Amino acid sequence: MKHGANIYKYAKRLGCSSDEIIDFSSNINLYQPQTALHVNNATLAKYAENSYKALKKIIADKYALKKSQIALYNGATAAIYALLDSLKEKNVLLYAPLYGEYEKAALRSKKNIYKINRIKNLDAPVKKKSIVIFVNPATPEGSFYEIETLFREWKKKKCTIILDESFLEFEGHPSFRMMIQEYKKLYIVQSFSKFYSCAGVRIGAVFSHKKNIKKLQPPLWNISSLDVEFLKERLQDEAFKNESLALHVRQKQELLTILKSCGLFEQIVQSDANFILVHSPKAEEIFTHLLTHKILVRTCGSFDYLTDEWLRFAVKDSSSHAALKYALTTYNGETDENHT
C-alpha cells in the first residue's frame, strides 16, 4: 500500500504540474506558516551531534519523557522497520486496517502475520507473547479507541505492544506514553511530520523503556542537521500548536459540512484525526470526476477489509474546500449557485 496517493503520477496523467493539484490524499496538518530557519555555515560544515541530545531534550519535555526513552530515526517508517527487525518474537498481530508499512516490515523481518478486523472483531483472542500492533487514532478512518481493556489483555498474554500515536495530537486524546515505565514491552511509534506539518523533514521516533532504547541503536548521523534544526524550532513554537488546533477544529467542520451536504455519500465515518473516510457505491466515478477538477483524494481499496467504494478526504484550507464543494456539486448535475 502506498503512503497516500501518488500525486506525481496523476499530475503526469493530467499533463499538469503537481502544484496545480489540490491533494486531499495527503494527511499533513493544513497549517503551514512561513518558517525562517536560520542555519549558519558552521552548522552545515559539521556533523550533527550523533546522539541528538538537544533535540531529545526538547522532545522529552514536549511529551513528558526522559531522553533515555527516545530513539530517533530518519522518519517514522524507518523507525517501524528498525523496531520490527529488533524484536525476537515471531508472531505479529495486526489490528487492521492500518498503515501498510507495518505488514511490509513484519514480512521483511520474517514474522508470522495474523490479522484482526478491528472494525468488526476488536475483541478477538490474541496469541500469547505476540507482537501486537495498533494505530490509535486509526488509519484510514481516524477512529480513536479506548484501549485500556485491550491493553490489560495484551499484558496478561505477555505481548509486546506497538502503539502508533502519530495522529493523536490533532484532537488531544490521552496517550499511553505514561505506561512505558510500568510495562517494559511497550513501544510507542511517533511521526512528527503529521501534526507538525513537515513531511519533508524526515524524523520519527520510538518511545520505550530505556533498556529497549539501548538495544535499538539507530545508525549514527541518520538525521540531517537541517532536519534537526527545523524540528527543534517547530516543537518549541507554541503559537504553531495553538493555531493548528484552532484551525483544525474550524476546517474539519467545514469539510464535514461539505461532505454531508453534497448527498453523494451513504456513510461518513466519525473521525478523531485530520481526515474523513466516506463510502459510496459510486466512489470510483467520484474519484475520476474530482481528478478532472485537479482534486486528488485517497482511494482505500488497498486497506484490509475495505474496497474502492471508500474514499478519504484530508482536512484542507477554505480555498481547497471551496474547490471541492464546486466539484462535488457538478458531479451531482447541479450548478454551484444551487448550493450557495
Side-chain angles (χ1 to χ4, degrees), residues 58-156:
I58 292 169
I59 294 171
D61 291 344
K62 190 80 174 177
Y63 291 92
L65 297 166
K66 297 177 181 177
K67 297 196 298 292
S68 60
Q69 296 173 323
I70 302 167
L72 296 177
Y73 291 88
N74 182 28
T77 300
I80 290 166
Y81 277 82
L83 178 54
L84 267 295
D85 280 342
S86 74
L87 297 174
K88 295 180 180 179
E89 294 88 345
K90 283 297 181 183
N91 294 328
V92 172
L93 182 61
L94 305 175
Y95 281 81
L98 79 172
Y99 179 41
E101 293 301 320
Y102 280 105
E103 182 170 358
K104 292 179 184 177
L107 287 171
R108 194 188 74 170
S109 301
K110 296 181 171 56
K111 309 292 190 187
N112 304 317
I113 297 173
Y114 303 89
K115 295 179 183 179
I116 286 178
N117 183 337
R118 59 174 172 77
I119 297 170
K120 294 185 176 181
N121 197 23
L122 184 64
D123 298 324
V126 175
K127 290 178 180 288
K128 287 185 177 179
K129 297 185 178 180
S130 298
I131 300 169
V132 298
I133 301 178
F134 199 103
V135 180
N136 201 27
T139 54
E141 86 287 5
S143 299
F144 176 78
Y145 289 82
E146 303 286 352
I147 61 169
E148 287 78 6
T149 301
L150 279 174
F151 190 82
R152 287 194 294 271
E153 181 66 17
W154 296 334
K155 285 177 62 179
K156 183 179 177 182

Side-chain angles (χ1 to χ4, degrees), residues 210-222:
K210 64 181 181 180
K211 290 184 179 179
N212 298 331
I213 297 300
K214 279 185 179 180
K215 292 177 183 178
L216 282 173
Q217 296 182 335
L220 294 177
W221 300 297
N222 70 329

Side-chain angles (χ1 to χ4, degrees), residues 310-325:
W310 294 90
L311 300 174
R312 190 182 70 190
F313 294 80
V315 177
K316 298 295 176 184
D317 59 37
S318 290
S319 175
S320 299
H321 289 170
L324 175 66
K325 179 179 179 179

Side-chain angles (χ1 to χ4, degrees), residues 204-253:
V206 174
F207 304 147
S208 192
H209 191 276
K210 64 181 181 180
K211 290 184 179 179
N212 298 331
I213 297 300
K214 279 185 179 180
K215 292 177 183 178
L216 282 173
Q217 296 182 335
L220 294 177
W221 300 297
N222 70 329
I223 305 169
S224 80
S225 298
L226 285 173
D227 290 348
V228 168
E229 292 304 312
F230 180 93
L231 190 57
K232 282 164 63 178
E233 286 198 17
R234 184 54 61 87
L235 286 171
Q236 295 178 100
D237 187 346
E238 282 299 308
F240 172 85
K241 175 185 175 182
N242 295 334
E243 286 291 330
S244 291
L245 293 174
L247 188 61
H248 167 72
V249 172
R250 294 197 303 270
Q251 297 305 113
K252 184 179 176 185
Q253 184 57 52

